[in-house]
Amino acid sequence: MQQFKILLFCFLMVPMGIMAQETEFSKDVKDYLESNGTMKQYEYAYGQLMQMMESRYPKSDVNLKSWTYLEEHEVKALEDIKSRLVPIYKAHFSHEDIKQMAAFYKTEAGVLLNTDRSKMTQVHKDELNSFYNTIVGQKIINNREALTKEISMASEDWSRELYGISMGLLSNG
C-alpha cells in the first residue's frame, strides 16, 4: 500500500513540477522579450497597422464597435506574439541562457543598446563585447540565422492574422 501511495504521488506531483518549471521558463522568455526591446517593436507594428486601417476605415458610428474591439485587443495580440515566440527561444536556448540574456538587457549597456546606441560609452561597448564573448553570447551569434528565420515566420503569421481580423471587422462595420 505504501508503494502505491509513493507511486501515486510521483504520478500526480512530478508532472505538476515539470509544468511549473515550463511555466517559469516561458515567463522568463517573455520577460526577456520585454527587456530586449522585442515587444516595443510589436507594439509599434500594432500601432502602424491601426493607423493604416484608420486611413482606410475612419472611425464612425457604423464601425465604432469594431474599432473599440481592436483598441482593446492590443494587449491580447501582443501576448499572442509573445506566446508564439516562446517555443522558438526554448528550442535554441536553455532556461539559464534566457536568464543571462534578460539580465544583460537590464544592465545600463543593454538598455542603451535598445534605446539610444549613440549614448553608449566605450565601457558600455566593452560590456556588450564581453557579453557576446560568453558562451551564451556565442550561442546567440551562432543561432542568429535560424532565429531570424523562425521569428520572421512567426511574425508574418501574426501580422497576416491581425490584418485579416482588422479587415474583417472594419470592412463589415
Side-chain angles (χ1 to χ4, degrees), residues 2 23 28 30 35 73 83 96 105-106 113 116 132 136 140 142 154 173:
Q2 184 67 19
T23 301
D28 288 343
K30 290 177 179 183
S35 64
H73 185 72
S83 295
E96 188 57 38
Y105 278 99
K106 291 177 183 174
L113 184 63
D116 190 352
Y132 278 114
V136 174
I140 293 168
N142 293 335

Side-chain angles (χ1 to χ4, degrees), residues 71-147:
E71 289 164 355
E72 292 173 352
H73 185 72
E74 181 177 7
V75 171
K76 185 175 187 269
L78 294 172
E79 190 59 36
D80 178 46
I81 189 60
K82 269 195 241 181
S83 295
R84 292 177 189 221
L85 297 177
V86 166
I88 295 169
Y89 280 90
K90 282 183 171 185
H92 294 278
F93 301 102
S94 71
H95 193 175
E96 188 57 38
D97 293 340
I98 294 294
K99 288 179 182 180
Q100 289 179 30
M101 292 158 60
F104 170 76
Y105 278 99
K106 291 177 183 174
T107 66
E108 189 175 349
V111 169
L112 288 174
L113 184 63
N114 285 323
T115 57
D116 190 352
R117 291 179 186 205
S118 68
K119 291 184 179 177
M120 289 182 78
T121 65
Q122 189 57 48
V123 171
H124 296 126
K125 292 174 185 174
D126 291 344
E127 287 176 31
L128 177 61
N129 287 332
S130 292
F131 174 72
Y132 278 114
N133 285 325
T134 66
I135 293 171
V136 174
Q138 289 299 302
K139 214 176 202 184
I140 293 168
I141 291 167
N142 293 335
N143 287 306
R144 185 168 281 149
E145 189 175 319
L147 279 170

Side-chain angles (χ1 to χ4, degrees), residues 8-51:
L8 182 63
F9 175 80
C10 289
F11 179 74
L12 293 175
M13 299 310 284
V14 171
M16 287 177 22
I18 291 170
M19 287 181 1
Q21 187 177 19
E22 284 296 308
T23 301
E24 192 64 29
F25 192 175
S26 296
K27 180 187 159 297
D28 288 343
V29 172
K30 290 177 179 183
D31 179 54
Y32 168 69
L33 294 171
E34 291 288 345
S35 64
N36 77 356
T38 296
M39 294 315 299
K40 289 282 184 212
Q41 294 172 0
Y42 287 105
E43 288 171 25
Y44 178 78
Y46 193 93
Q48 290 297 111
L49 175 62
M50 293 303 105
Q51 283 182 1

